[in-house]
Amino acid sequence: FLRVTPGNKYFQSSTRLFIESAENDFPFYNTGVIPNKPDTLRNAGYIKAGILQEFYIRHTSDNISAVRLWLQGSDRNLPQLMSYQGSERKEYQKDIQVRAQYDWRKYSHFLNYHFFTGINSTRLDYHRSTPDFDYVNEESRSRETGFLNHLRIFRKFDDETYATLSLDANYYEVNANNLLRDTGFRKSRMETSLMLNMHFKPSDLFALYILMRAEFYDDKMMPLIPSGGMEWQVFRSLPVVLRLNAARNFHKPTLNDLYWIPGGNPELLPEDGFTGDASLSATFSNSQFTFNTEVTGFASLIENWIIWQPALNGAYYWQANNIRDVYSRGIEYQFNGTYNLGRILFRSGGNYSFTRSTNQNAVHSADNSRNKQLIYIPKHKGGAYISSTWKKYTLKFDVSAIGKRYTTSSNAESSFEQVLNPYLLGKLTASRQFQLKEYFLDMKFTVDNLFDKSYQSILWRPMPGRSFTYTIALTFND
């Protein structure tokens, strides 16, 4: 990777280049076949490269423009499932992404403007075949283009009241084709939305906001999507803050959800429901340490939840579907802190979440998913880290844990209907920075999956065991 940033206070340029590749063949223990055996993942190599060019112009002290151009491409092989024992398959995906954007900002004490316009274009080619029989199973081409426009106006009325008005007008077009079956879609959509956000702070201990949003798409109109919240420091002498938020939730299916080949579903309905959360946070500090902590409870009831899941007809791909009613609720806790012990600085942090997301109303009477946890959503998830820094040496240890996840909507557990077992991952990082006149040299050594755990993030897709990375970054300032 390389980044070059010349410029002065009126004009700056930033050029980033990167290239990354890997053969990506790694050993794993295959539990998807009988008998279980040591195995090696193959046909998982990839190469990707890109360039990001940015220009920034300061016309006046309160008037800034930017132009951004981004080009990125990748060519990746897709390995077979660890449970697959048939003829060898050839499967790969190639994609190119092009983005261009113009951004303008103007600032003043009471009135700020932000406008951007741009285009995003993505091209994706997918191929799957069985070379032994000279047979092509799947050949698809997908093109997606979006023209994006956004205007935001911020108005401060006084120290207690301010408002933000936002207007978005976006046009999307998708062209997806199955070349083998000569089928496909060419669809477009114009989306506009208007949002008004009002903030009030009658005292330094209390604040609240009210947000109103309207959306227009496909000749449909959602005239009112409200939300609101408050923040209250209950006691002046204690740094404890109570936050409450409630909102209507509306999410329309994207063109990919509707028309992706294979797996898109043109019959999808938009999500509609309500969400809310309540949290308590606190910050404590003195000359040697700081400690931040927050606990949050949340709940949502969503009708026509959109979910991508393994195809109901047993096909190899995933498809989009609606779940009639999903009730999601849970609790989250997070903390972080620092402790200065003379010449050594310690940092630590962590998080934990309990999430219960269930299908409240199965679509079919024979569907056993009623009141069952949604697939791939763990009830328990958490992580923590601790690091110490002495001079310019840093040593950091991370640990993350994922609870059991179901892969079928019925939450069945058998030799045919698998669950993904809980796993605990460790990561160790050691780094050192050197300064040599105008040069800065950063060196970092990382051990991922420190405990060499065998695990899967997606069913029958093995993840690497213990691996090592050594990174060198050189910075030169003129």
Side-chain angles (χ1 to χ4, degrees):
F1 61 89
L2 172 69
R3 182 180 181 185
V4 182
T5 56
N8 52 41
K9 65 179 181 178
Y10 299 107
F11 174 82
Q12 288 192 358
S13 170
S14 174
T15 305
R16 304 183 198 180
L17 302 169
F18 76 90
I19 184 169
E20 179 182 331
S21 66
E23 291 185 7
N24 209 29
D25 296 340
F26 59 82
F28 69 98
Y29 192 72
N30 195 339
T31 59
V33 297
I34 299 176
N36 300 164
K37 63 177 182 178
D39 208 339
T40 300
L41 185 78
R42 303 193 186 279
N43 193 47
Y46 68 89
I47 180 170
K48 58 182 179 180
I51 178 171
L52 173 61
Q53 177 63 60
E54 300 173 300
F55 299 105
Y56 297 91
I57 303 173
R58 182 179 293 276
H59 306 282
T60 60
S61 61
D62 60 355
N63 194 334
I64 301 173
S65 294
V67 176
R68 302 181 180 92
L69 304 171
W70 179 28
L71 172 63
Q72 177 176 312
S74 66
D75 187 350
R76 66 191 76 205
N77 292 324
L78 303 176
Q80 297 172 172
L81 299 175
M82 58 192 290
S83 59
Y84 178 75
Q85 294 295 294
S87 301
E88 182 181 356
R89 291 176 176 172
K90 182 180 181 181
E91 191 173 6
Y92 61 82
Q93 173 180 301
K94 297 180 179 180
D95 61 80
I96 298 177
Q97 298 177 356
V98 180
R99 298 182 181 179
Q101 182 189 82
Y102 171 75
D103 187 294
W104 173 73
R105 299 171 189 259
K106 182 175 175 57
Y107 302 93
S108 68
H109 185 66
F110 291 103
L111 195 60
N112 297 336
Y113 299 93
H114 179 208
F115 169 76
F116 70 77
T117 183
I119 180 173
N120 294 348
S121 179
T122 300
R123 170 177 174 171
L124 190 148
D125 299 337
Y126 172 76
H127 172 90
R128 178 172 170 262
S129 61
T130 307
D132 290 352
F133 302 99
D134 194 25
Y135 180 74
V136 177
N137 307 90
E138 195 75 45
E139 189 85 30
S140 65
R141 301 285 184 269
S142 300
R143 310 289 184 265
E144 182 182 8
T145 304
F147 299 92
L148 312 178
N149 300 276
H150 171 81
L151 174 64
R152 185 180 65 190
I153 303 173
F154 171 86
R155 177 71 162 91
K156 182 178 179 181
F157 299 95
D158 49 46
D159 292 338
E160 292 78 31
T161 308
Y162 60 90
T164 302
L165 181 67
S166 299
L167 174 64
D168 290 87
N170 305 322
Y171 175 80
Y172 299 97
E173 184 176 275
V174 62
N175 186 3
N177 295 282
N178 186 321
L179 302 185
L180 295 183
R181 298 166 182 82
D182 195 25
T183 59
F185 298 95
R186 187 180 184 91
K187 299 290 183 178
S188 62
R189 171 193 284 175
M190 184 68 189
E191 301 178 2
T192 58
S193 66
L194 183 65
M195 184 183 71
L196 176 63
N197 190 354
M198 296 289 298
H199 280 254
F200 308 93
K201 193 172 183 180
S203 76
D204 58 346
L205 301 180
F206 182 78
L208 60 90
Y209 79 91
I210 299 172
L211 188 149
M212 298 293 180
R213 181 165 60 97
E215 287 195 4
F216 309 86
Y217 73 100
D218 289 345
D219 298 325
K220 301 180 180 69
M221 181 178 69
M222 292 298 300
L224 185 61
I225 308 174
S227 63
M230 56 158 284
E231 181 178 300
W232 180 30
Q233 183 174 331
V234 184
F235 304 103
R236 185 175 294 275
S237 58
L238 290 176
V240 178
V241 177
L242 170 67
R243 296 182 179 89
L244 300 174
N245 297 283
R248 181 182 178 185
N249 181 293
F250 178 81
H251 173 68
K252 56 187 174 295
T254 67
L255 292 182
N256 278 337
D257 292 331
L258 296 168
Y259 305 113
W260 186 265
I261 295 180
N265 183 354
E267 304 301 321
L268 284 178
L269 299 173
E271 297 178 351
D272 198 355
F274 298 91
T275 64
D277 64 78
S279 67
L280 278 174
S281 65
T283 300
F284 306 95
S285 64
N286 61 23
S287 59
Q288 284 188 299
F289 83 94
T290 62
F291 181 74
N292 304 292
T293 182
E294 182 174 22
V295 60
T296 302
F298 61 89
S300 66
L301 183 60
I302 306 298
E303 182 180 359
N304 298 321
W305 181 294
I306 298 173
I307 185 172
W308 282 79
Q309 57 189 356
L312 299 177
N313 61 5
Y316 66 93
Y317 56 83
W318 288 35
Q319 65 181 185
N321 288 291
N322 286 119
I323 299 179
R324 183 169 295 174
D325 293 310
V326 172
Y327 179 31
S328 180
R329 62 278 193 198
I331 189 169
E332 298 176 344
Y333 174 72
Q334 59 181 353
F335 75 91
N336 64 78
T338 62
Y339 183 73
N340 195 336
L341 186 63
R343 301 174 66 184
I344 302 177
L345 178 63
F346 292 95
R347 294 184 177 91
S348 183
N351 62 82
Y352 166 77
S353 65
F354 171 81
T355 304
R356 184 89 167 101
S357 295
T358 55
N359 183 359
Q360 297 299 108
N361 190 354
V363 176
H364 306 294
S365 59
D367 191 345
N368 294 322
S369 64
R370 187 187 299 268
N371 293 323
K372 302 297 177 61
Q373 184 82 352
L374 298 188
I375 65 171
Y376 285 96
I377 297 181
K379 292 182 182 178
H380 304 279
K381 181 179 179 180
Y385 75 90
I386 185 170
S387 72
S388 62
T389 301
W390 174 70
K391 293 186 177 179
K392 301 203 175 176
Y393 294 91
T394 298
L395 184 65
K396 184 181 180 183
F397 173 67
D398 295 83
V399 63
S400 60
I402 301 292
K404 180 169 68 174
R405 292 165 296 148
Y406 297 100
T407 62
T408 59
S409 59
S410 64
N411 291 180
E413 299 185 43
S414 70
S415 57
F416 301 101
E417 296 172 300
Q418 298 289 326
V419 299
L420 294 175
N421 293 320
Y423 59 85
L424 180 72
L425 299 179
K427 179 179 179 180
L428 186 65
T429 305
S431 61
R432 170 71 161 97
Q433 185 182 80
F434 301 88
Q435 183 175 355
L436 306 170
K437 295 183 179 179
E438 296 89 357
Y439 293 89
F440 293 88
L441 181 65
D442 291 280
M443 296 189 299
K444 183 168 67 174
F445 179 73
T446 303
V447 185
D448 285 297
N449 196 353
L450 181 65
F451 310 123
D452 201 24
K453 292 293 184 179
S454 177
Y455 71 103
Q456 301 167 45
S457 293
I458 298 176
L459 185 62
W460 307 135
R461 296 291 188 184
M463 298 298 289
R466 185 185 297 117
S467 61
F468 307 90
T469 304
Y470 185 57
T471 305
I472 300 175
L474 180 66
T475 304
F476 172 71
N477 293 322
D478 185 5

